């Protein structure tokens, strides 16, 4: 679908999205828009702007970090890229660990046997979050290892 903001003229219609991926580095960026509108125009007009990616963790998935973008284009990690990835990993892990702590707290407050359905749902969510934490650690550690080996 096409999205337009009538109150911010620079927010032209964003028609497409695609990912630029560098397999050897294990890095990718999500690009919204094409050569006529979207993030390409934002970068052309304003340069790279602040913010974090990953909407799931409170950021904007279309925010392109210049260190990652240049690393992808050059095929090797530029200064600050590995540290940026490590920081992103820690942010994601903190969010997931906080969610897991909340689930554990709620689960400890639910009386055994009183609401088996609720207990099962909480146990399922706990296992899902634990798996997500492992997945984030493995994914980011693999990316960092690849980036460090190609410097």
């Amino acid at each position: 679908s096409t999205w337009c903001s009538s109150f911010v003229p620079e927010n032209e219609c964003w028609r497409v999205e695609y990912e630029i991926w560098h397999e050897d580095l294990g890095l990718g960026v999500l690009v919204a828009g094409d050569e006529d509108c979207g993030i390409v125009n934002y970068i052309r007009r304003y340069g790279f702007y602040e913010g974090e990616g990953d909407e799931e963790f409170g950021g904007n998935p279309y925010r392109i970090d210049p260190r990652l973008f240049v690393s992808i284009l050059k095929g090797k990690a530029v200064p600050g890229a590995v540290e940026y990835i490590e920081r992103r990993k820690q942010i994601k892990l903190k969010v997931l660990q906080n969610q897991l702590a909340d689930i554990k707290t709620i689960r400890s407050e639910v009386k055994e046997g009183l609401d088996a359905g609720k207990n099962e749902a909480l146990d399922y969510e706990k296992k899902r979050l634990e798996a997500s934490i492992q997945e984030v650690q493995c994914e980011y550690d693999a990316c960092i290892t690849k980036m460090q080996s190609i410097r």
Side-chain angles (χ1 to χ4, degrees):
S1 69
T2 301
W3 176 83
C4 291
S5 172
S6 60
F7 60 90
V8 180
E10 288 82 13
N11 282 346
E12 301 173 42
C13 296
W14 300 55
R15 297 178 184 97
V16 296
E17 71 178 35
Y18 52 94
E19 187 172 23
I20 299 173
W21 189 258
H22 194 288
E23 196 66 39
D24 293 341
L25 290 175
L27 284 179
V29 291
L30 185 60
V31 178
D34 55 25
E35 66 277 1
D36 296 322
C37 69
I39 194 67
V40 175
N41 254 353
Y42 265 62
I43 293 171
R44 185 181 303 127
R45 289 181 183 179
Y46 308 113
F48 291 93
Y49 55 93
E50 294 301 315
E52 295 291 335
D54 295 320
E55 188 172 23
E56 176 182 359
F57 298 97
N60 178 343
Y62 302 108
R63 193 274 192 227
I64 299 174
D65 183 85
R67 295 164 289 202
L68 298 186
F69 190 63
V70 172
S71 294
I72 290 167
L73 294 177
K74 290 181 89 174
K76 65 179 187 176
V78 299
V82 171
E83 293 79 7
Y84 174 79
I85 292 293
E86 183 62 41
R87 192 176 80 245
R88 293 290 304 281
K89 171 186 163 187
Q90 295 308 319
I91 290 168
K92 283 188 174 189
L93 288 174
K94 184 176 181 179
V95 169
L96 291 169
Q97 289 164 345
N98 286 342
Q99 291 173 352
L100 181 60
D102 290 345
I103 292 296
K104 287 179 178 179
T105 299
I106 294 167
R107 178 65 172 90
S108 70
E109 293 171 358
V110 174
K111 302 274 191 232
E112 286 295 329
L114 291 180
D115 192 345
K118 187 181 283 186
N119 288 338
E120 288 175 18
L122 290 169
D123 290 342
Y124 172 82
E125 185 63 13
K126 178 179 172 263
K127 287 178 186 174
R128 188 192 67 75
L129 285 167
E130 289 170 341
S132 292
I133 289 169
Q134 288 297 319
E135 185 179 312
V136 165
Q137 287 175 326
C138 291
E139 177 185 320
Y140 275 80
D141 288 347
C143 178
I144 290 167
T145 299
K146 286 179 180 182
M147 290 174 71
Q148 289 172 331
S149 70
I150 300 179
R151 282 188 180 199

